[in-house]
Each structure stands twice: as structure tokens, then as C-alpha cells.
Amino acid sequence: MPIRTLIWNEYVHERENPIVKGVYPDGIHQAIATALSADDDVRTDTATLQEPEHGLTEQRLAETDVLLWWGHARHGEVSDEVADRVCRHVWAGMGLIALHSAHFSKPFKRLLGTPCNLTWREAGETERVWCADPGHPIAAGLPDRFELPQEEMYGEPFGVPAPDETVFISWFQGGEVFRSGLTWRRGAGKVFYFRPGHETYPTYHDANVQRVIANAVRWAHNPAPRRDNVEAAPNVPADQAPEPLTATGPRLHGDGQDGFR
Amino acid sequence: MPIRTLIWNEYVHERENPIVKGVYPDGIHQAIATALSADDDVRTDTATLQEPEHGLTEQRLAETDVLLWWGHARHGEVSDEVADRVCRHVWAGMGLIALHSAHFSKPFKRLLGTPCNLTWREAGETERVWCADPGHPIAAGLPDRFELPQEEMYGEPFGVPAPDETVFISWFQGGEVFRSGLTWRRGAGKVFYFRPGHETYPTYHDANVQRVIANAVRWAHNPAPRRDNVEAAPNVPADQAPEPLTATGPRLHGDGQDGFR
Amino acid sequence: MPIRTLIWNEYVHERENPIVKGVYPDGIHQAIATALSADDDVRTDTATLQEPEHGLTEQRLAETDVLLWWGHARHGEVSDEVADRVCRHVWAGMGLIALHSAHFSKPFKRLLGTPCNLTWREAGETERVWCADPGHPIAAGLPDRFELPQEEMYGEPFGVPAPDETVFISWFQGGEVFRSGLTWRRGAGKVFYFRPGHETYPTYHDANVQRVIANAVRWAHNPAPRRDNVEAAPNVPADQAPEPLTATGPRLHGDGQDGFR
Amino acid sequence: MPIRTLIWNEYVHERENPIVKGVYPDGIHQAIATALSADDDVRTDTATLQEPEHGLTEQRLAETDVLLWWGHARHGEVSDEVADRVCRHVWAGMGLIALHSAHFSKPFKRLLGTPCNLTWREAGETERVWCADPGHPIAAGLPDRFELPQEEMYGEPFGVPAPDETVFISWFQGGEVFRSGLTWRRGAGKVFYFRPGHETYPTYHDANVQRVIANAVRWAHNPAPRRDNVEAAPNVPADQAPEPLTATGPRLHGDGQDGFR
């Protein structure tokens, strides 16, 4: 059974800015979908900000194994409700791949719990992506390093929690460095952040970048069934305790009462 | 210069429930403050939900090195604005000690990015707290294990990200286990979660519990000045790049323009 | 292509001690091999301490995807050369599953870099294994908890580095707790420690234990080719630097000379 | 009471190589000791490879809070016994700061459990050290970045386990990047690796480098008493179990017998 990906794109600059339109005439989401669909084990679908509920209904997320997210200029237009829905699906087992300026997207920031800020420069400079973890599945088949001749610079410090794994680190011509490929787990869901992908450059047409994303899709896929009630805090009454137990002392909650939240 | 602690308490059950009032006549916050003030290097202050802005104004947080948080029945009454303010101060260097049912508090959940859920039982059973990391500063001076004769049970799975460190793990009479003392870093701030402390039992009068909290205050204290602009994402123009750099290619942003959010 | 497992067993007590022989007449390695071979995607092989090079020749390890290790009474008889060989294969991508008393085995201790010590008791008491990370692939298909009616107790503190993930935590009838299922990565290799498995009890005949081990085999499998020269520290001369570079200043090493070790 | 540091140096190139001798006439250890002794809260002492037991006797380590280690050409001449002794003291609470080529030292490799390899180039190029974790105590008082005009290059991948924290990342003129400041815990001991410090350049005379090392000394200091018997695995007999317990089933060990190793 193929891995079901949903590639979400804000889809603003490709429609409004002629340069970006020239690079990605059908949108970044379509460019990524085309690249991923070369893999028979991956099924692609897309959604954009403009669709009702941004195309991220409960049902659609329930049928998504790995969500890819690209956004830049309209993070604030993503509704809180949808952002929280995405987080719940990640907790329940959906993979999330946050691309480039998605470091400031609502779901990514809420899942990480930090500002996710950085320094930046738009100067068309060289980015050299180094692999810091060559045994990691996301680095499979990639060279020790690869170059993107023109990219936006993102510089440290990157305001994220210490990652579980640091897969890539970038060198920039202008003198900065950045942790470009980072992993975290949140509940049953795996999260991967991948830095390159400024919309004025043809980054998502690059074969190495496409390989990273394809690897990340496989890595982020949790084949277990989506978990139910991922926020539940069930009471285990004394008579259902694993060990024989006689309740003692005062209680705040009556039998069968929910806990406070 | 002493460590400035602020002990925040929801302060509801101690006023409304006679049993809890009997255990903590002046509130859990005062019990903790009294215990902490035995240490000359620690200065204590308290705040409660009922105060304007819950007693957590910008100025008060700016003058707090370590915030302790106890809440249970009124998590939802903490305003989003204050919850976010607490998170910003943690990112900027304030320590946070989340006590017992504060696992469901807004600041803790927002900083961790997960549901923070668990199983629970209110049966007055024995909790035995084991030290899993005896070299950790939060375990200093504590025995290998200590017992609380009556406590609420919290059981795994605890819905939090993998902690940086696991300091304590609890054994419960009814058959469950729980990671009772966990650490994370979020920006410049250190976060410690400590499980015991159900309000119907005299847990905060226990000498070992008091020792854990006092140790945690020292551990969570970041002596560096509070960081400014902790969410800033500064642009570094090409002519200010560390290396000589000539900008090339198209740009989305004009000179001096802010980045998107 | 199936996952190639090699189940290594010290194989002493099953031959020398009638009780253990009664529980595992063909050895613990055969019991595990039989259980694993129910999975068509897994190929099993076994090796024991008594074979030349303990059955762990360079070739055999090169043909092993995941090595399972059980040892107890003869850790010291494993040669340093073979222990180091196992470590090198783990760094290069071989998975390692350390079972029960293998916490004191040479490869495990060398990979973790800590004493790996613990407290223990042999009293045939109940062990209840709780899942602390239900979304983890090693927990797939398992209940929230399962019980082993008789097991040896291992108690915290467990002298290991903070694990990447805590999958299981055990509750013991006698009052202790222990982190029973822990993961780490070392180079390209994944390491899983699983606590249960004292040789006088039929633990490896338990269906839940077998499920954990089968899951762990899949989790620990790195499908990438085994990495070569996993300890190499290659020189990159100035004329092969990614950026144009003119060497300046004094040098300790002549052209083409190896670095110091 | 001041923090007692012991600065260990191989002390070979400063005696044998005129260039290195010119930069560090009294040895790298003395240059670091001089810098550290500006801090009234730090007491410095030094030891070298040439001393009996390399100057690292049991007593001397017992009186050391933080050990700094510089070695390059003679890693193999450090005796296994002394290397293991250093590891035991780290497990028991001694801090360890591994400097530059100490990535290949015996204690560092044994504590981390990985090859600790990297790529390298000796070309006198610029290294720019970026702070990736500005709230970390080791970064206190340091600028966002600092430059070393001439340094040896170390490049990723760096063959170490995922660090607890990534404090610094270096940019190299020749095009590489490297995680330059990393932390781990091993038992009660804190370990910091700091990359700069090739012996042909005046790196340890640099004020920022000195500040990093001074900060690291404070960070690595565990004020708790050195732990005893750090490898002990005590038996807890059934009659001393925390909970009432009647032993059942067969036993391998007689009363009071040690566990196997």
C-alpha cells in the first residue's frame, strides 16, 4: 500500500509574483508532487490555503500518512482550528515535513514550542548542504554534500528545541551556517524540517533536494493505525487497578467523573 | 544575589474544599514559599489566578528567575495572553517548574507541543519515587528512593516529547509507573516537571519533596540576563554579511523590509 | 529481501543448569529464532560463545542486518577483538538488540560509554511492562501493559546515557521500577535494550515478549548498505576544498600524510 | 571553594616542533592555565603525558572537579588503565572538556562509544564560530559569532552520538561546516567538546576561546561529592525489598553472592 502524502502550499507568490510563477508555474506543491510521484510507493495529493478549511479537513488528514507544508507570506491566515487539527494528527501518527519558511508556520511552531526564529538574507548566494549523519535514512543515496547555486540564507541561532537528530548542516557563501535537516518526534508523529526552498529559486527542481524529500516521506511514515483519542486522560478506578487496591483518603472526583483540564 | 522565585497557584481548592483547606490553610503556594524561604539564596514571592493578569504582569515576570506553577481545576481560566507571556519569558531565560496537575496547564502544554496526557486514579495509594539519575543536581542530597504514603496515581504513557533527562520515576501501589521528574530546555529557559502534589494530601509538607523543589529552583536558574527580542528574525543584508558578498538574483523583499511571518 | 538476524547466545546456563535446560532445552537463541522465524520477512541464524571467534567472524557480521545478544555469566570470555568488531559493524549500520543481562556485555557497554549498572533481585516476582511510547514502532500491536508472572528484578538507577527514546518501563512487585525498553543510535546503527529475559523463567516463550523482539528487529534494520571505513578521518587538501583556497601558515603534516591517532 | 581544574596536555609538539614552541613556549596547558587563573573561582593545575601515570593518579583525579584534555600525536601512548580511570571519574561526577584533537583521545572515544572521526585540512584558513544556543551557559558573554583568522579545518560528518546540546557550529573558508561545541552527560559527569585549538596557531591566546573554556569549566562542574562505587550492581534480597515479598521459583545465585559480569 503506497504512502499517502498531502503536499500543502500557501500558493500565493506563485500566483502573484511573475518571477516565482516562472520558476513554479503550477505552484511549489505541484513541483513537489511531480517529483514524489516518480516513486511507485508514494501517492501524492495537494491542498492549498485558498480551499475551504485550507484543504485540510478532518477526513483528508485522516487519509494522509505524511503532510508536507510550504508557507511563507500568509502564515497568519491559517486558522487556529486547522493548525490545531494538524497538530492532533501529528500526535496521532501523521508525519510532518516542514519546508523552508514553514519554520514560522503555525503547526510547526505549536509542535515545537519555541519561536523557531533565525537570521536571513535574500542575496542569491551559494548554499552547500553537508550531511552530518550519513547513516540516517533521510540521507540515503545522497552525496556527502551538495550545492544549491542560489538560495536564501538562513543563519543560526535557529530557535528550536534540541533536535533528536541533525541530518544536514548548511554552509553559506556569505559566512553563515544553519542546521538544515532536523528531526523531532511529537507523540506518534515524526517531524522533519528541511531548510532549502526559497520560492524565487528552482530549488525543488534539484535532484538532491527531491531525494531528501522522498527519503523524508518514507522516514516520516508511521505505518501503525492513526491513534484515537490522542488527548484522552482516562481515569483508572481503584477496582480496575492492575494490583488489588483499596482506596483510602479523601477524593475530589466522584465515580466516573472526568478529570479537570 | 538570591534567586527570585515566583510561586503561582490557581488557589481554588484550598479556598473551596474543606479537606484541601485543612492541608494547606494558606494555599499550596504559601506552603511551598515557606519551605523555599529556608534557603537564604532563594527569595520567594507568590501570585494567584485571581489577581489582575493572574499576578503575572510583564514586569513581575521580568523580575522572576524561576516560576513555579500549580494549577488543576481552572487551567482554562488562564488567559491566552498571559500563557504566551510566560512562554516568552521561558524562551528568554526564565526557569519553569511545573508541579503535578500543571501537566495540563497552558504554558506547559504550549512549551512542550504535545497533549501532556496520562492516566490517573485518586485512591490515596503509596507512591515510591525512585531516582533514575543520581548524579543530577535536582537529585542532590536525596535518598535512592522516597515514599509518599498517599498520593494520586499518574500512569504512563505520559504524552510529552522525549525529555532531555529522566530524574525520577514513580512506582504506584496499584501497579502503574510514571516518569515523575523530567527536564527539557526551551530557548534559554529550563523546564522541570515534578509529578507529586495532589491537593488532598500533605505532599508539599514532605521534606524530600521540598528538597526536590529547592534543588530544581537552583537547577532552573539561568543567571544570564533575560534575552531581548526572543522572537526576532533579523535580516542580514548582503553588505553586512560576514563574508564579502554580491547579491544576485531576484528578491521578494525590499531593503530594510521585515520578513514574513 | 528478508531481514537477516543473527541471534547470539552465551549458551552456558542452558547446558549446565538443569532448571534453565528445562526451560530452554535448545538454548535461548533457538527459542528466539523459532519465534522470529514465524515472520516471513525475517531470516534467522544463531551463534554462540563456544564457536571459533564466538561465531562472529567478519564475514558473518557483514551478512547480518540485526544482531541479538544474550549473555550473562561469561561476558569476560568474549574477546576484545570480537567485541570491537561488533561495535564497528553497529557504527556501520548493523542493528543491535541487547537482551536482559546483556546490559553488562562488552559490545553494549562500549557502545554506550557508561557502566550500565543497576540493582537486581532474583525472587520470581511479577514484572509489569508498561508502554511509555505507544506510537513507537517497537510497541506496535502491543497492549498498554503486559505482565510476566515471574522475573528477575532490575532496578533504577540504570547507568546508561539518556536514551533517545523510552519505549517501556517496568513495575516490579517488590517495589522497584526500571526503564525496560530504550533506544540509542551509534553511527548508522540502531541499538535497543530490552530488559526481560532471566534464564530461569520462560520469558522468551511469552507472546508479548516475542512481539517486542520482532518489532525491534524491524525497527533496528538499516536497509542502507553497510558503511565502509567507518573510522576513517580523511584529509581534504587545500586544492580539493569545496571553495577556492590558498593554504597559509605552518603545517604539521606533509602532503598526503595521514592524521595522528 | 574554587573549582579545581586539571589541564592535561600531551605536550609533545610544543617541545619538538619550533613553530609550536614559538606559539606556546610553556605548552598549551600553561597557556590555558594562565587564562583560567584570571578567574578567582577557578584553581588550575596541569599534568602531562610524560609524568608517571601521565600525571593522572587516582588521588589527583579525586581532587579534580573538571579535567581539560589536549592531545594529538600520542593518543596511543596513554595507557588503557589511565584512560579507564578517567572514564570512571567522569561517571562519578568529574567534568571533562575535550579540546580540538582530543576527539581521538581514548577517554573521549570510550565515553562516547563511537569513532569520533571527521574530515580535516591544515591550510591556515578562517574559522567562524557561530553560537547556535545563545542561552546556554557556555555561550554566556560571547558574541553571536567570532572568528579565528587561521585554523585547521574539521568537517562533518563528526562521528559522535547525537549531542544533548549543540552550542557552537563553525563555518570554514574552504567550504566546510562542523559542530564545534557539543555537550553530553555520562553518569554524573558532564562532557564538553570544543573544536578550535590546532597547535600551530595562537588559538588559546584568543579572548573568545578563553571565554568559552572558562564558561565550560563552570558548566562542567558538578558540585556534588564524587560518587562511590560507580560501577556497583547491588543485589537487593527479597527480605529487603521495598514491598513485602516472598521469593518464589528457582535461583541462580546463592544468598549474598555477587551478580555475574
Side-chain angles (χ1 to χ4, degrees):
Chain A
M1 191 171 140
I3 302 173
R4 301 164 300 173
T5 64
L6 181 59
I7 303 150
W8 189 89
N9 185 12
E10 177 185 283
Y11 199 28
V12 170
H13 284 145
E14 300 98 319
R15 293 185 293 118
E16 297 181 355
N17 181 305
I19 294 159
V20 181
K21 190 174 197 161
V23 183
Y24 298 109
D26 302 315
I28 284 174
H29 51 301
Q30 291 299 348
I32 294 173
T34 302
L36 280 179
S37 57
D39 185 336
D40 287 343
D41 293 341
V42 175
R43 203 174 76 198
T44 62
D45 198 359
T46 63
T48 61
L49 179 65
Q50 296 77 29
E51 299 174 37
E53 302 187 51
H54 319 316
L56 300 170
T57 59
E58 188 59 50
Q59 186 183 343
R60 212 152 178 207
L61 290 175
E63 293 167 354
T64 297
D65 292 317
V66 180
L67 177 67
L68 296 92
W69 191 283
W70 197 99
H72 190 185
R74 299 288 191 279
H75 295 311
E77 293 182 17
V78 174
S79 77
D80 286 343
E81 189 186 342
V82 168
D84 286 340
R85 190 186 295 156
V86 168
C87 291
R88 277 196 306 274
H89 277 274
V90 171
W91 298 336
M94 183 177 71
L96 176 67
I97 300 176
L99 294 167
H100 187 60
S101 39
H103 70 93
F104 265 161
S105 66
K106 284 186 182 180
F108 186 70
K109 287 171 65 177
R110 291 180 189 200
L111 287 165
L112 293 205
T114 54
C116 303
N117 54 339
L118 42 80
T119 71
W120 61 281
R121 177 175 55 240
E122 204 184 1
E125 68 201 274
T126 302
E127 173 176 13
R128 182 175 297 110
V129 181
W130 286 94
C131 181
D133 190 354
H136 197 283
I138 297 180
L142 283 153
D144 292 345
R145 65 174 197 254
F146 61 90
E147 291 181 20
L148 301 166
Q150 284 195 312
E151 252 298 347
E152 186 180 20
M153 181 282 289
Y154 278 6
E156 294 283 345
F158 188 16
V160 292
D164 295 349
E165 298 160 321
T166 300
V167 187
F168 301 109
I169 301 175
S170 287
W171 179 102
F172 288 96
Q173 185 184 351
E176 281 89 354
V177 295
F178 196 75
R179 288 170 290 170
S180 287
L182 300 175
T183 77
W184 298 267
R185 287 184 64 214
R186 285 294 181 268
K190 294 164 109 173
V191 178
F192 179 59
Y193 174 78
F194 188 50
R195 198 216 76 83
H198 193 56
E199 60 263 49
T200 58
Y201 314 118
T203 297
Y204 294 113
H205 299 312
D206 180 89
N208 286 312
V209 167
Q210 291 175 355
R211 179 70 182 254
V212 170
I213 295 172
N215 285 345
V217 163
R218 288 170 181 273
W219 171 84
H221 176 220
N222 187 341
R226 192 67 40 94
R227 294 182 63 77
D228 290 330
N229 300 321
V230 77
E231 298 178 274
N235 180 253
V236 183
D239 59 2
Q240 293 171 31
E243 296 290 316
L245 186 68
T246 305
T248 66
R251 288 167 65 192
L252 289 175
H253 297 82
D255 285 342
Q257 210 182 337
D258 274 348
F260 299 115
R261 278 185 188 255
Chain B
M1 190 171 139
I3 302 174
R4 300 164 301 172
T5 64
L6 181 61
I7 304 149
W8 189 89
N9 184 12
E10 177 186 283
Y11 199 28
V12 170
H13 285 145
E14 300 99 318
R15 293 184 293 119
E16 297 181 354
N17 182 305
I19 294 158
V20 182
K21 191 173 196 160
V23 182
Y24 299 109
D26 301 314
I28 284 176
H29 50 303
Q30 291 300 348
I32 294 173
T34 301
L36 280 179
S37 56
D39 186 334
D40 287 342
D41 294 340
V42 174
R43 204 173 75 197
T44 62
D45 197 1
T46 64
T48 61
L49 179 66
Q50 296 77 27
E51 299 174 36
E53 303 186 52
H54 319 316
L56 299 170
T57 60
E58 188 61 49
Q59 187 184 341
R60 212 152 179 207
L61 291 175
E63 293 167 352
T64 297
D65 293 317
V66 180
L67 177 68
L68 296 93
W69 191 283
W70 197 98
H72 190 185
R74 299 288 192 278
H75 295 309
E77 292 181 17
V78 173
S79 78
D80 286 343
E81 190 187 342
V82 166
D84 286 340
R85 189 185 296 158
V86 168
C87 291
R88 277 197 307 274
H89 276 274
V90 170
W91 297 337
M94 183 177 72
L96 176 68
I97 299 175
L99 295 167
H100 188 60
S101 41
H103 70 93
F104 264 161
S105 67
K106 285 187 180 180
F108 187 70
K109 288 171 65 178
R110 290 179 190 200
L111 289 165
L112 293 205
T114 54
C116 303
N117 53 338
L118 42 78
T119 70
W120 61 281
R121 176 175 55 239
E122 204 184 1
E125 69 201 274
T126 301
E127 172 176 12
R128 182 175 297 110
V129 181
W130 286 94
C131 181
D133 190 353
H136 197 284
I138 297 180
L142 283 151
D144 292 346
R145 66 174 195 255
F146 61 89
E147 291 181 21
L148 300 165
Q150 283 194 313
E151 252 298 347
E152 186 180 20
M153 182 282 289
Y154 279 6
E156 294 282 348
F158 187 17
V160 291
D164 295 348
E165 299 160 320
T166 300
V167 187
F168 301 109
I169 301 175
S170 286
W171 179 101
F172 288 96
Q173 184 184 352
E176 282 88 354
V177 295
F178 196 75
R179 290 170 289 170
S180 286
L182 301 175
T183 76
W184 298 268
R185 287 185 62 213
R186 287 294 180 264
K190 294 164 110 173
V191 178
F192 179 59
Y193 175 76
F194 188 50
R195 198 216 76 80
H198 193 55
E199 61 263 49
T200 57
Y201 314 118
T203 297
Y204 294 113
H205 299 312
D206 180 89
N208 286 312
V209 167
Q210 291 176 355
R211 179 70 182 253
V212 170
I213 295 173
N215 285 346
V217 163
R218 288 170 181 274
W219 171 84
H221 175 220
N222 187 341
R226 192 67 40 94
R227 294 183 63 76
D228 290 331
N229 299 319
V230 77
E231 297 178 275
N235 180 252
V236 182
D239 59 2
Q240 293 171 30
E243 295 291 315
L245 186 68
T246 305
T248 67
R251 289 166 65 191
L252 290 175
H253 297 82
D255 286 341
Q257 209 181 339
D258 275 348
F260 299 116
R261 279 188 185 253
Chain C
M1 190 170 139
I3 302 174
R4 301 163 299 173
T5 64
L6 181 60
I7 304 149
W8 189 89
N9 184 10
E10 177 185 283
Y11 199 27
V12 170
H13 285 145
E14 301 98 318
R15 292 185 294 119
E16 297 180 356
N17 181 304
I19 294 158
V20 182
K21 190 173 196 162
V23 183
Y24 298 111
D26 301 315
I28 284 175
H29 51 302
Q30 291 300 347
I32 294 173
T34 301
L36 281 178
S37 57
D39 185 336
D40 287 343
D41 294 341
V42 174
R43 203 174 76 199
T44 62
D45 198 0
T46 63
T48 60
L49 179 66
Q50 296 77 27
E51 298 175 37
E53 303 186 51
H54 318 316
L56 300 170
T57 60
E58 188 60 49
Q59 186 184 341
R60 214 156 179 202
L61 290 175
E63 293 168 353
T64 297
D65 293 317
V66 180
L67 177 67
L68 297 92
W69 191 283
W70 198 99
H72 190 184
R74 299 288 191 279
H75 296 311
E77 292 182 16
V78 174
S79 78
D80 286 343
E81 190 186 342
V82 167
D84 286 340
R85 190 185 295 157
V86 168
C87 291
R88 276 196 307 274
H89 276 274
V90 170
W91 297 336
M94 183 177 73
L96 175 67
I97 300 175
L99 295 166
H100 187 60
S101 40
H103 70 93
F104 265 161
S105 67
K106 285 186 181 181
F108 187 71
K109 287 171 65 177
R110 291 180 189 199
L111 288 165
L112 293 205
T114 54
C116 303
N117 53 338
L118 42 78
T119 71
W120 62 281
R121 176 175 56 240
E122 205 184 1
E125 68 200 275
T126 301
E127 172 175 14
R128 182 176 297 110
V129 181
W130 286 93
C131 181
D133 189 354
H136 197 283
I138 296 179
L142 283 151
D144 292 345
R145 67 174 196 257
F146 61 90
E147 291 180 20
L148 301 166
Q150 283 195 312
E151 252 297 348
E152 185 181 20
M153 181 281 290
Y154 279 6
E156 294 281 348
F158 187 17
V160 292
D164 295 349
E165 299 160 320
T166 300
V167 186
F168 301 109
I169 302 176
S170 287
W171 179 101
F172 288 96
Q173 185 184 351
E176 280 88 354
V177 295
F178 196 75
R179 290 170 290 171
S180 288
L182 301 176
T183 76
W184 299 266
R185 288 185 62 213
R186 287 294 180 266
K190 294 163 110 173
V191 178
F192 179 59
Y193 174 77
F194 188 50
R195 198 216 76 81
H198 193 55
E199 61 263 49
T200 57
Y201 313 119
T203 297
Y204 294 112
H205 298 312
D206 179 88
N208 286 312
V209 167
Q210 291 175 356
R211 180 71 181 253
V212 170
I213 295 173
N215 285 345
V217 162
R218 287 170 182 273
W219 171 84
H221 176 220
N222 187 342
R226 191 68 40 96
R227 296 183 62 76
D228 289 331
N229 299 320
V230 78
E231 296 178 276
N235 180 253
V236 183
D239 59 3
Q240 292 171 32
E243 295 291 315
L245 187 67
T246 306
T248 66
R251 289 166 63 192
L252 289 174
H253 296 83
D255 286 341
Q257 210 181 339
D258 275 348
F260 299 116
R261 281 189 185 251
Chain D
M1 190 170 139
I3 301 174
R4 300 164 300 172
T5 64
L6 180 61
I7 304 150
W8 189 89
N9 185 11
E10 176 186 285
Y11 199 28
V12 170
H13 285 145
E14 300 100 317
R15 293 185 293 118
E16 296 181 355
N17 182 304
I19 294 157
V20 182
K21 189 173 198 162
V23 183
Y24 300 109
D26 301 315
I28 283 174
H29 51 302
Q30 291 300 347
I32 294 172
T34 301
L36 281 179
S37 57
D39 186 336
D40 287 343
D41 294 341
V42 175
R43 202 173 76 198
T44 61
D45 197 0
T46 64
T48 61
L49 179 66
Q50 296 77 29
E51 298 174 37
E53 302 186 50
H54 318 316
L56 300 170
T57 58
E58 189 59 50
Q59 186 184 341
R60 215 154 177 203
L61 291 174
E63 293 167 353
T64 297
D65 293 316
V66 180
L67 177 68
L68 297 92
W69 190 283
W70 197 98
H72 190 184
R74 299 288 190 279
H75 295 311
E77 292 182 17
V78 173
S79 78
D80 286 344
E81 188 187 343
V82 167
D84 286 340
R85 190 185 296 158
V86 168
C87 291
R88 277 197 306 275
H89 276 273
V90 170
W91 297 336
M94 183 178 71
L96 176 67
I97 300 176
L99 295 167
H100 187 60
S101 40
H103 70 93
F104 265 161
S105 66
K106 285 186 181 180
F108 187 70
K109 289 172 64 178
R110 290 180 189 198
L111 288 165
L112 293 205
T114 54
C116 304
N117 53 338
L118 41 80
T119 70
W120 61 282
R121 176 175 56 240
E122 203 184 2
E125 69 200 274
T126 302
E127 172 176 13
R128 181 175 298 108
V129 181
W130 286 93
C131 182
D133 190 353
H136 197 283
I138 296 180
L142 282 152
D144 291 345
R145 65 172 196 257
F146 61 89
E147 291 181 20
L148 300 166
Q150 285 194 312
E151 251 297 348
E152 187 180 19
M153 181 281 289
Y154 279 6
E156 293 283 346
F158 187 17
V160 291
D164 295 349
E165 299 159 319
T166 299
V167 186
F168 301 109
I169 301 176
S170 288
W171 180 101
F172 288 96
Q173 185 184 350
E176 281 88 354
V177 295
F178 196 76
R179 290 170 288 169
S180 288
L182 300 175
T183 76
W184 298 267
R185 286 185 64 213
R186 286 294 179 267
K190 294 164 109 174
V191 178
F192 179 60
Y193 174 77
F194 187 51
R195 197 217 77 82
H198 192 55
E199 61 263 50
T200 58
Y201 314 118
T203 297
Y204 294 113
H205 299 312
D206 180 89
N208 286 311
V209 167
Q210 291 175 356
R211 180 71 182 252
V212 170
I213 295 172
N215 285 345
V217 162
R218 287 170 182 274
W219 171 84
H221 176 220
N222 188 341
R226 192 67 41 93
R227 293 183 63 76
D228 290 330
N229 300 320
V230 78
E231 297 178 275
N235 180 253
V236 182
D239 59 3
Q240 293 171 30
E243 296 290 317
L245 186 68
T246 306
T248 67
R251 288 165 66 192
L252 289 174
H253 297 82
D255 286 340
Q257 209 180 339
D258 275 348
F260 298 116
R261 282 191 183 249

